[in-house]
Amino acid sequence: MIALYIHAPEEEAPWSPGAASHWWLHHSLAALDAELRLRGAQLVIARGPSLATLQSMAQATGATSVHWNRTYEPALIARDATIKSALRAAGLQAHSHAGNLLFEPWTVKNGSGDPFRVFTPFWRVCQGRLSEVGPPLPAPAKIRAARPPAGIALAALELLPQRRWDSGFAALWSPGEQGAHARLKEFLEDDAADYAEMRDRPDMAGTSRLAAHLHFGEISPRQVLAISAATLERDGARRGTESFLREVGWREFGHHLLYAFPHTTDQPMDVRYTHFQWRPDAALLRAWQRGQTGIPLVDAGMRELWHTGWMHNRVRMVAASFLIKNLQQPWLDGARWFHDTLVDADLASNTAGWQWTAGCGADAAPFYRIFNPVLQSERFDPARGYLRRWLPELARLPAEWLHRPFLAPAAVLAAAGVRLGQDYPVPLVDLAGSRDRALAAWQQIRTPAEAQPAPAARRRPTRR
Ligand SMILES: Cc1cc2nc3c(=O)[nH]c(=O)nc-3n(C[C@H](O)[C@H](O)[C@H](O)COP(=O)(O)OP(=O)(O)OC[C@H]3O[C@@H](n4cnc5c(N)ncnc54)[C@H](O)[C@@H]3O)c2cc1C
């Protein structure tokens, strides 16, 4: 057996992995190599193109079969199909395996035999089939490794940034299989019981933070399911664990959608949104990216993302809604930024998350549900711990003004040493006015049947 990693990011274009993913990948490959060495093998690293590299490696080593786990990004499905036929035509055995999902996307269908477009019935069907998911196989204690061919050093891939913006990453993340299992264990022991209540609180470390580990295949959803089973049996933790597994179900659903509707990575699922009147503005986009919008919860989230490579799900929804609706910037611009900066950047989940928020995806929030970032902040960061952590320039403001510094009296701002427009920005847009402008733009594309609800209902936050 020879374990081979071929680096070919250009083969994933236009969604080649971003800078934060590269950081994770570097450490994940190092961890994989260490694990393999404990078992008598090692990781051989090579550069693409993938097919030519596989062919030359097979020839050099006398390999007779090639195995890999399937991924579902459209560019990779096309590439892997080409590789499979070319290897088979050359007399090699080529096998792809199911390891990244609980169910292969083409096996979950609605009553009419079509792909699901709504999550709840999709997950109900998946839950009914969980007993089909066999137990994960243990890792082999010893690997019969063949003499490895020459590869290149990990450092030669230059995955780590030259300008070290990643100082906040190492403190938070432990890429690799061991880190993934430690993270799951800690979550199940400490946080699973309260997950249903705490998953919406960005000031608490109440979620699993497993997304990047899952994306990079360091732990499989099958392992997550099997290991969580014991917690499901524990009194008091069942509800939280079920809620957590339901989120793993959203990951499945994202992949299901990506497989069935591959064009949605770049185009809205709801075609009416191709005519939506966006107002692209590089300066607004940049202010959002830098956490300088003047809206505290949005800025705190964007800074958390930049410093740690992760953002809490609740804040992802609020920050995305603000960009798309209040600033009327194209959802794809936001999706590209997340793809570059998230350590858990994942084409399936990111596309689904952005289209959900924009209102143009499958099972999406209606466009007229525009998150009010101030109310969201009051509700989900009640003690202001999240805002204080990421917005130190506002830390001396009395609590009542932290969610809305732009409404604070001048004397209060002066006493806290905050000069709006200098220490912290004035809001890029007026929240109420920009909301009305977004709704007016939406009126241009909505169907007559899509009535806008009464104002009170519109302000109610959505569950997700
Ligand atoms: C605009 C936007 C963009 C997003 N981009 C991504 C992305 O690129 N990659 C990504 O993995 N998730 C993405 N999400 C979904 C979600 O925010 C993250 O999966 C979650 O915050 C990761 O943190 P966690 O591992 O602590 O999640 P937990 O709350 O612990 O959830 C457990 C696991 O379930 C999965 N999961 C949870 N929520 C979702 C969801 N809404 N959709 C799909 N899977 C989910 C993840 O694999 C996660 O690790 C996005 C959401 C939004 C609103």
Side-chain angles (χ1 to χ4, degrees), residues 239-258:
R239 187 165 159 264
T241 310
E242 276 175 351
S243 167
F244 163 67
L245 291 176
R246 186 180 158 86
E247 295 308 314
V248 176
W250 274 95
R251 177 180 180 274
E252 291 280 313
F253 186 52
H255 284 81
H256 175 85
L257 293 174
L258 181 64

Side-chain angles (χ1 to χ4, degrees), residues 49-200:
S50 299
L51 176 57
T53 309
L54 280 169
Q55 285 167 328
S56 65
M57 287 273 180
Q59 206 166 35
T61 59
T64 54
S65 62
V66 181
H67 297 256
W68 67 90
N69 272 356
R70 284 192 277 280
T71 51
Y72 305 91
E73 291 81 356
L76 295 185
I77 291 181
R79 179 196 67 184
D80 293 354
T82 307
I83 289 178
K84 201 180 254 184
S85 348
L87 293 179
R88 285 181 179 166
L92 287 159
Q93 292 180 41
H95 299 284
S96 63
H97 300 273
N100 282 320
L101 296 173
L102 295 171
F103 302 103
E104 290 301 271
W106 52 89
T107 68
V108 188
K109 295 273 169 67
N110 67 17
S112 323
D114 295 322
F116 279 100
R117 287 165 180 257
V118 180
F119 173 73
T120 304
F122 167 83
W123 187 231
R124 201 178 305 123
V125 167
C126 292
Q127 281 179 306
R129 289 180 49 190
L130 286 181
S131 58
E132 289 171 28
V133 182
L137 297 174
K142 197 87 196 127
I143 296 173
R144 278 201 298 128
R147 217 172 101 94
I152 59 173
L154 175 57
L157 298 181
E158 296 181 342
L159 296 171
L160 295 178
Q162 304 213 320
R163 199 168 49 87
R164 298 310 297 257
W165 43 256
D166 57 330
S167 54
F169 284 34
L172 193 60
W173 304 111
S174 300
E177 189 178 5
Q178 284 190 24
H181 281 268
R183 180 75 78 174
L184 177 61
K185 185 168 181 286
E186 190 183 317
F187 169 74
L188 290 175
E189 283 173 6
D190 300 345
D191 302 313
D194 299 326
Y195 178 81
E197 289 75 34
M198 289 309 189
R199 60 178 290 268
D200 270 322

Side-chain angles (χ1 to χ4, degrees), residues 207-268:
T207 67
S208 72
R209 303 199 181 200
L210 274 176
H213 295 289
L214 281 161
H215 172 79
F216 283 90
E218 297 165 358
I219 191 165
S220 70
R222 182 183 292 222
Q223 287 172 316
V224 170
L225 185 69
I227 298 168
S228 305
T231 317
L232 275 171
E233 299 309 318
R234 216 169 66 203
D235 274 356
R238 183 177 185 91
R239 187 165 159 264
T241 310
E242 276 175 351
S243 167
F244 163 67
L245 291 176
R246 186 180 158 86
E247 295 308 314
V248 176
W250 274 95
R251 177 180 180 274
E252 291 280 313
F253 186 52
H255 284 81
H256 175 85
L257 293 174
L258 181 64
Y259 181 78
F261 310 104
H263 64 284
T264 56
T265 54
D266 300 85
Q267 290 162 41

Side-chain angles (χ1 to χ4, degrees), residues 173 187 195 199 206-212 214-215 243-254 310-318 320-321 338-339 342 344-357 464:
W173 304 111
F187 169 74
Y195 178 81
R199 60 178 290 268
T207 67
S208 72
R209 303 199 181 200
L210 274 176
L214 281 161
H215 172 79
S243 167
F244 163 67
L245 291 176
R246 186 180 158 86
E247 295 308 314
V248 176
W250 274 95
R251 177 180 180 274
E252 291 280 313
F253 186 52
W310 187 83
M311 194 200 293
H312 189 279
N313 180 60
R314 170 63 44 185
V315 193
R316 289 186 203 201
M317 292 191 289
V318 174
S321 167
F338 271 29
H339 187 78
L342 278 171
D344 61 38
D346 181 278
L347 194 52
S349 300
N350 201 36
T351 302
W354 278 93
Q355 292 222 17
W356 183 88
T357 313
R464 290 187 61 74

Side-chain angles (χ1 to χ4, degrees), residues 272-456:
R272 288 175 304 158
Y273 283 80
T274 49
H275 306 296
F276 189 83
Q277 193 191 7
W278 302 109
R279 297 164 168 254
D281 181 323
L284 291 181
L285 179 64
R286 199 164 167 73
W288 175 82
Q289 290 169 338
R290 295 179 154 203
Q292 294 289 343
T293 69
I295 305 296
L297 187 61
V298 174
D299 291 339
M302 298 308 294
R303 295 181 197 187
E304 178 180 38
L305 174 61
W306 181 254
H307 286 283
T308 68
W310 187 83
M311 194 200 293
H312 189 279
N313 180 60
R314 170 63 44 185
V315 193
R316 289 186 203 201
M317 292 191 289
V318 174
S321 167
F322 181 76
L323 181 77
I324 297 168
K325 297 178 181 174
N326 297 91
L327 299 183
Q328 256 175 272
Q329 300 303 299
W331 66 269
L332 257 177
D333 285 347
R336 288 195 187 102
W337 181 252
F338 271 29
H339 187 78
D340 191 33
T341 52
L342 278 171
V343 288
D344 61 38
D346 181 278
L347 194 52
S349 300
N350 201 36
T351 302
W354 278 93
Q355 292 222 17
W356 183 88
T357 313
C360 61
D363 199 3
F367 186 90
Y368 54 75
R369 289 236 181 104
I370 299 180
F371 283 106
N372 179 324
V374 173
L375 296 184
Q376 289 281 312
S377 181
E378 284 174 345
R379 179 161 175 208
F380 295 110
D381 186 25
R384 289 94 170 156
Y386 186 70
L387 296 186
R388 285 194 204 283
R389 169 153 190 223
W390 294 109
L391 306 173
E393 67 269 47
L394 299 182
R396 289 176 53 215
L397 263 187
E400 59 183 303
W401 299 110
L402 252 178
H403 299 294
R404 46 168 77 72
F406 45 89
L407 293 183
V412 171
L413 289 169
V418 178
R419 289 162 303 171
L420 275 192
Q422 291 181 48
D423 304 308
Y424 185 70
V426 286
L428 293 176
V429 287
D430 165 63
L431 286 177
S434 58
R435 180 178 177 284
D436 290 345
R437 197 182 60 178
L439 288 172
W442 172 71
Q443 296 288 344
Q444 307 297 316
I445 61 159
R446 79 177 175 94
T447 58
E450 267 182 318
Q452 203 174 308

